[in-house]
Amino acid sequence: MVRGMYRSRTLRRVKVKAPGGKVHIHYRQRKPQAAKCAYCLKPLAGVPRENAKVMQSLAKTKKRPQRMYGGKLCGNCLKGMLQRKARDEQ
Amino acid sequence: MILFSVGRLCLKLAGRDAGRKCVVVEILDDSFVLVDGDVRRKKVNLKHLEPLAQTLELPNNASHEEVKKVFEKMQLPVWDTKKKATPARQKKVKKVHEAPAVEPKEAKKAAKKSKKEAAEPSALAEEKDN
């Protein structure tokens, strides 16, 4: 029986084959949910799905697209919004 | 291509210039134009542009400076890339390595001995107390 703290599913389980042929279970931290577009809820491209510790070590330019609202809205939704706004003003 | 004629003010919809205003400087192709203004001077697909009502008067094949003048008249912001100031190169100065000062061995030994002597009597005293 494993330790109590490992019996919850908070940590994900990875099967690792040891040199002797035995399969061991390693417990690793789960990754966070993928970033989603605030408008269409589709997963965003260009935003890495990493734990906070890894994200901290990344450069700002590697964490989100350099577009307006990059990392919040997807390109298509932003395009539609800009178009609608431009057409409303005219 | 009446919509995207030279001098047409447009809104950029894609890329890192999205949401900024630009003007068509040259028509390159059926689907590509050269734009300038509040964006990087760039070849752009028409799918990535939204035409606005305004048109600006531009000379043929206007340079960035000419576009800048027109934009400033209209009180529109202009994209300007600043060249990074390169610092003047410093001449290399040869490093002179100085030999580290080495303590003579005998002096080190003497220092160790004196430390031991200082530590031992106190330890003995503690044992006696217990």
Side-chain angles (χ1 to χ4, degrees):
Chain A
M1 190 70 95
V2 291
R3 271 196 265 170
M5 62 181 276
Y6 291 135
R7 297 191 67 195
S8 78
R9 288 287 179 159
T10 311
L11 299 173
R12 84 192 159 92
R13 296 168 183 202
V14 182
K15 283 179 183 171
V16 176
K17 207 160 194 180
K22 265 190 175 181
V23 176
H24 289 267
I25 292 178
H26 281 194
Y27 295 86
R28 301 221 182 117
Q29 209 180 350
R30 285 180 195 275
K31 281 193 177 182
Q33 289 276 310
K36 286 185 181 102
C37 172
Y39 195 71
C40 67
L41 306 181
K42 278 180 192 162
L44 288 177
V47 183
R49 195 185 158 192
E50 294 291 351
N51 285 319
K53 202 174 177 186
V54 181
M55 291 294 262
Q56 246 178 6
S57 68
L58 287 179
K60 193 173 186 181
T61 49
K62 287 182 181 170
K63 283 185 236 183
R64 81 277 184 277
Q66 281 198 289
R67 203 189 308 122
M68 185 187 198
Y69 289 99
K72 299 285 172 209
L73 293 177
C74 69
N76 282 337
C77 289
L78 178 71
K79 186 181 173 182
M81 283 177 191
L82 289 174
Q83 265 176 337
R84 258 172 275 145
K85 202 190 163 201
R87 286 169 192 179
D88 284 350
E89 279 176 5
Q90 287 171 23
Chain B
M1 286 287 102
I2 306 157
L3 261 183
F4 293 101
S5 50
V6 172
R8 168 71 65 186
L9 200 68
C10 297
L11 193 70
K12 189 108 189 324
L13 298 176
R16 69 165 147 137
D17 301 326
R20 293 164 176 272
K21 279 175 186 172
C22 58
V23 68
V24 177
V25 173
E26 193 185 337
I27 294 161
L28 301 172
D29 198 334
D30 243 18
S31 54
F32 287 100
V33 291
L34 186 74
V35 294
D36 201 349
D38 193 18
V39 300
R40 294 166 291 159
R41 191 179 171 97
K42 213 170 183 285
K43 179 182 146 187
V44 165
N45 195 324
L46 294 183
K47 284 179 186 174
H48 303 155
L49 289 177
E50 175 70 17
L52 301 177
Q54 274 177 321
T55 47
L56 309 179
E57 277 187 24
L58 279 183
N60 257 357
N61 295 336
S63 67
H64 178 65
E65 296 305 316
E66 286 166 329
V67 174
K68 199 174 160 184
K69 268 183 201 169
V70 178
F71 261 58
E72 275 164 3
K73 253 188 202 173
M74 304 278 297
Q75 293 181 334
L76 292 170
V78 187
W79 179 287
D80 245 336
T81 47
K82 285 171 200 165
K83 275 193 177 176
K84 276 184 188 172
T86 48
R89 275 193 173 182
Q90 287 180 341
K91 277 189 181 177
K92 274 188 181 176
V93 182
K94 272 196 176 178
K95 279 180 188 173
V96 182
H97 290 288
E98 281 179 20
V102 182
E103 267 184 69
K105 274 189 179 177
E106 286 173 13
K108 266 191 182 176
K109 275 186 183 175
K112 264 192 180 178
K113 264 191 181 178
S114 63
K115 263 191 183 176
K116 267 191 182 177
E117 278 167 12
E120 274 171 7
S122 63
L124 289 174
E126 275 174 20
E127 276 176 18
K128 270 183 189 176
D129 288 345
N130 290 335

